[in-house]
Amino acid sequence: MSAEAPTTMEIETVPSEPKPASNSLPPKPKFEPLKAHEMSDGRVQFRKVSVPPHRYSPLKKYWMDIYTPIYEQMKIDVRMNLKARKVELKTRTDTPDISNLQKCADFVQAFMLGFDVPDAIALLRLDELYVESFEIKDVKTLRGEHLSRAIGRLSGKGGKTKFAIENATKTRIVIADTKIHMLGSFANIRIARDSLCSLILGSPAGKVYSKLRQVTARLAERF
């Protein structure tokens, strides 16, 4: 028993290591937010949008309407390359957000597809807008007069059917020969596309209108 006593005493007298004080941690570093040109290691980013021949004259006419919001509000450099027939966009040192470059490219692309400037400019203002395109032959293979009649059904007399679908679904639609382009939110584009596909497949306009009314009423109740 006497031999074990000192061992017990030694164990009791071992000093416990002092715990580090909570205030001894180094202060958190404070970093300034990165600028757009610093995110890409200082490299300038480019986008190029091709100008189709039939949109060359409208681009000349509305150039200042396109140039002003891109350069002054989004802080993106823009120029028209006459030789390559492309609109070129690039970031600047004072560009506030790197995503502005892609938004501006989408805006210019929407104009090239045939959308009006006041409609296409919404792509710069809102994040949840998209442009979707499809061809009539993707829905149904039509040729000759059948194809012409399908395009006529989509537009309606004086564009009445197209305007009705646009107003009901809060979208914008461009019918360029056999290609159809839609601008709007994801859910609204889907409703507009379903209506257009029904018309291509041969549904009468009255039937499409009634179905459209039901769907838009349901959509209004949801929100």
Side-chain angles (χ1 to χ4, degrees), residues 11-30:
I11 291 166
E12 286 176 1
T13 53
V14 170
S16 60
E17 290 183 8
K19 290 181 181 177
S22 58
N23 58 359
S24 66
L25 292 171
K28 286 184 180 178
K30 289 182 180 177

mmCIF file of all heavy atoms in Angstrom, residues 11-30:
data_model
loop_
_atom_site.group_PDB
_atom_site.id
_atom_site.type_symbol
_atom_site.label_atom_id
_atom_site.label_comp_id
_atom_site.label_asym_id
_atom_site.label_seq_id
_atom_site.Cartn_x
_atom_site.Cartn_y
_atom_site.Cartn_z
ATOM 1 N N ILE A 11 -0.030 11.498 -9.619
ATOM 2 C CA ILE A 11 -1.114 11.671 -10.593
ATOM 3 C C ILE A 11 -1.950 12.886 -10.241
ATOM 4 O O ILE A 11 -2.322 13.679 -11.077
ATOM 5 C CB ILE A 11 -1.996 10.404 -10.641
ATOM 6 C CG1 ILE A 11 -1.214 9.247 -11.256
ATOM 7 C CG2 ILE A 11 -3.274 10.652 -11.455
ATOM 8 C CD1 ILE A 11 -1.816 7.885 -11.063
ATOM 9 N N GLU A 12 -2.203 13.083 -8.949
ATOM 10 C CA GLU A 12 -3.033 14.202 -8.504
ATOM 11 C C GLU A 12 -2.339 15.547 -8.707
ATOM 12 O O GLU A 12 -2.964 16.551 -8.983
ATOM 13 C CB GLU A 12 -3.398 14.030 -7.022
ATOM 14 C CG GLU A 12 -4.437 12.953 -6.818
ATOM 15 C CD GLU A 12 -4.740 12.708 -5.355
ATOM 16 O OE1 GLU A 12 -4.138 13.397 -4.509
ATOM 17 O OE2 GLU A 12 -5.568 11.833 -5.066
ATOM 18 N N THR A 13 -1.009 15.539 -8.570
ATOM 19 C CA THR A 13 -0.299 16.823 -8.633
ATOM 20 C C THR A 13 0.115 17.209 -10.059
ATOM 21 O O THR A 13 0.753 18.230 -10.246
ATOM 22 C CB THR A 13 0.965 16.766 -7.753
ATOM 23 O OG1 THR A 13 1.722 15.635 -8.138
ATOM 24 C CG2 THR A 13 0.589 16.695 -6.278
ATOM 25 N N VAL A 14 -0.226 16.409 -11.087
ATOM 26 C CA VAL A 14 0.130 16.778 -12.483
ATOM 27 C C VAL A 14 -0.681 18.011 -12.861
ATOM 28 O O VAL A 14 -1.914 17.991 -12.812
ATOM 29 C CB VAL A 14 -0.183 15.616 -13.467
ATOM 30 C CG1 VAL A 14 -0.056 16.090 -14.906
ATOM 31 C CG2 VAL A 14 0.754 14.468 -13.202
ATOM 32 N N PRO A 15 -0.030 19.101 -13.176
ATOM 33 C CA PRO A 15 -0.784 20.340 -13.482
ATOM 34 C C PRO A 15 -1.500 20.232 -14.818
ATOM 35 O O PRO A 15 -0.955 19.693 -15.779
ATOM 36 C CB PRO A 15 0.313 21.414 -13.529
ATOM 37 C CG PRO A 15 1.566 20.673 -13.884
ATOM 38 C CD PRO A 15 1.426 19.283 -13.318
ATOM 39 N N SER A 16 -2.726 20.694 -14.834
ATOM 40 C CA SER A 16 -3.501 20.666 -16.092
ATOM 41 C C SER A 16 -3.031 21.809 -16.988
ATOM 42 O O SER A 16 -2.695 22.903 -16.517
ATOM 43 C CB SER A 16 -4.994 20.811 -15.792
ATOM 44 O OG SER A 16 -5.232 22.031 -15.141
ATOM 45 N N GLU A 17 -3.015 21.543 -18.314
ATOM 46 C CA GLU A 17 -2.527 22.559 -19.253
ATOM 47 C C GLU A 17 -3.509 23.726 -19.304
ATOM 48 O O GLU A 17 -4.725 23.531 -19.342
ATOM 49 C CB GLU A 17 -2.404 21.937 -20.652
ATOM 50 C CG GLU A 17 -1.271 20.930 -20.736
ATOM 51 C CD GLU A 17 -1.126 20.385 -22.137
ATOM 52 O OE1 GLU A 17 -1.806 20.911 -23.041
ATOM 53 O OE2 GLU A 17 -0.352 19.441 -22.316
ATOM 54 N N PRO A 18 -3.019 24.919 -19.284
ATOM 55 C CA PRO A 18 -3.928 26.079 -19.313
ATOM 56 C C PRO A 18 -4.641 26.187 -20.658
ATOM 57 O O PRO A 18 -4.029 25.997 -21.710
ATOM 58 C CB PRO A 18 -2.985 27.271 -19.107
ATOM 59 C CG PRO A 18 -1.647 26.799 -19.567
ATOM 60 C CD PRO A 18 -1.597 25.324 -19.283
ATOM 61 N N LYS A 19 -5.964 26.445 -20.648
ATOM 62 C CA LYS A 19 -6.746 26.571 -21.885
ATOM 63 C C LYS A 19 -6.458 27.925 -22.521
ATOM 64 O O LYS A 19 -6.371 28.933 -21.818
ATOM 65 C CB LYS A 19 -8.243 26.450 -21.573
ATOM 66 C CG LYS A 19 -8.635 25.058 -21.161
ATOM 67 C CD LYS A 19 -10.117 24.994 -20.887
ATOM 68 C CE LYS A 19 -10.511 23.583 -20.453
ATOM 69 N NZ LYS A 19 -11.923 23.509 -20.115
ATOM 70 N N PRO A 20 -6.311 27.951 -23.844
ATOM 71 C CA PRO A 20 -6.038 29.240 -24.488
ATOM 72 C C PRO A 20 -7.227 30.180 -24.348
ATOM 73 O O PRO A 20 -8.385 29.768 -24.417
ATOM 74 C CB PRO A 20 -5.802 28.865 -25.953
ATOM 75 C CG PRO A 20 -6.478 27.554 -26.139
ATOM 76 C CD PRO A 20 -6.417 26.864 -24.806
ATOM 77 N N ALA A 21 -6.971 31.411 -24.126
ATOM 78 C CA ALA A 21 -8.042 32.408 -23.975
ATOM 79 C C ALA A 21 -8.773 32.605 -25.298
ATOM 80 O O ALA A 21 -8.178 32.509 -26.373
ATOM 81 C CB ALA A 21 -7.431 33.731 -23.511
ATOM 82 N N SER A 22 -10.076 32.853 -25.193
ATOM 83 C CA SER A 22 -10.892 32.962 -26.405
ATOM 84 C C SER A 22 -10.518 34.190 -27.244
ATOM 85 O O SER A 22 -10.711 34.210 -28.443
ATOM 86 C CB SER A 22 -12.383 33.046 -26.033
ATOM 87 O OG SER A 22 -12.593 34.158 -25.190
ATOM 88 N N ASN A 23 -9.951 35.205 -26.578
ATOM 89 C CA ASN A 23 -9.622 36.419 -27.322
ATOM 90 C C ASN A 23 -8.233 36.392 -27.958
ATOM 91 O O ASN A 23 -7.767 37.395 -28.489
ATOM 92 C CB ASN A 23 -9.763 37.648 -26.413
ATOM 93 C CG ASN A 23 -8.870 37.531 -25.184
ATOM 94 O OD1 ASN A 23 -8.176 36.535 -25.011
ATOM 95 N ND2 ASN A 23 -8.899 38.559 -24.341
ATOM 96 N N SER A 24 -7.567 35.223 -27.905
ATOM 97 C CA SER A 24 -6.213 35.129 -28.468
ATOM 98 C C SER A 24 -6.234 34.794 -29.965
ATOM 99 O O SER A 24 -5.195 34.737 -30.595
ATOM 100 C CB SER A 24 -5.408 34.078 -27.710
ATOM 101 O OG SER A 24 -5.964 32.801 -27.938
ATOM 102 N N LEU A 25 -7.437 34.519 -30.546
ATOM 103 C CA LEU A 25 -7.519 34.209 -31.981
ATOM 104 C C LEU A 25 -7.209 35.451 -32.803
ATOM 105 O O LEU A 25 -7.550 36.572 -32.406
ATOM 106 C CB LEU A 25 -8.927 33.709 -32.331
ATOM 107 C CG LEU A 25 -9.336 32.354 -31.770
ATOM 108 C CD1 LEU A 25 -10.818 32.115 -32.011
ATOM 109 C CD2 LEU A 25 -8.528 31.237 -32.397
ATOM 110 N N PRO A 26 -6.564 35.257 -33.965
ATOM 111 C CA PRO A 26 -6.258 36.437 -34.805
ATOM 112 C C PRO A 26 -7.548 37.046 -35.361
ATOM 113 O O PRO A 26 -8.544 36.353 -35.546
ATOM 114 C CB PRO A 26 -5.405 35.855 -35.940
ATOM 115 C CG PRO A 26 -5.746 34.407 -35.984
ATOM 116 C CD PRO A 26 -6.099 34.012 -34.576
ATOM 117 N N PRO A 27 -7.574 38.330 -35.607
ATOM 118 C CA PRO A 27 -8.797 38.960 -36.132
ATOM 119 C C PRO A 27 -9.138 38.452 -37.535
ATOM 120 O O PRO A 27 -8.242 38.088 -38.306
ATOM 121 C CB PRO A 27 -8.448 40.447 -36.162
ATOM 122 C CG PRO A 27 -6.964 40.488 -36.230
ATOM 123 C CD PRO A 27 -6.475 39.279 -35.479
ATOM 124 N N LYS A 28 -10.434 38.407 -37.863
ATOM 125 C CA LYS A 28 -10.872 37.932 -39.189
ATOM 126 C C LYS A 28 -10.423 38.917 -40.262
ATOM 127 O O LYS A 28 -10.576 40.129 -40.087
ATOM 128 C CB LYS A 28 -12.401 37.799 -39.231
ATOM 129 C CG LYS A 28 -12.927 36.610 -38.481
ATOM 130 C CD LYS A 28 -14.423 36.483 -38.647
ATOM 131 C CE LYS A 28 -14.954 35.273 -37.897
ATOM 132 N NZ LYS A 28 -16.411 35.161 -38.014
ATOM 133 N N PRO A 29 -9.883 38.391 -41.356
ATOM 134 C CA PRO A 29 -9.470 39.317 -42.427
ATOM 135 C C PRO A 29 -10.689 39.926 -43.119
ATOM 136 O O PRO A 29 -11.722 39.276 -43.263
ATOM 137 C CB PRO A 29 -8.690 38.421 -43.390
ATOM 138 C CG PRO A 29 -9.215 37.055 -43.150
ATOM 139 C CD PRO A 29 -9.626 37.001 -41.704
ATOM 140 N N LYS A 30 -10.557 41.152 -43.536
ATOM 141 C CA LYS A 30 -11.644 41.837 -44.254
ATOM 142 C C LYS A 30 -11.187 42.083 -45.683
ATOM 143 O O LYS A 30 -10.209 42.810 -45.911
ATOM 144 C CB LYS A 30 -11.988 43.160 -43.566
ATOM 145 C CG LYS A 30 -12.693 42.986 -42.236
ATOM 146 C CD LYS A 30 -13.064 44.318 -41.624
ATOM 147 C CE LYS A 30 -13.764 44.102 -40.284
ATOM 148 N NZ LYS A 30 -14.081 45.389 -39.625
#
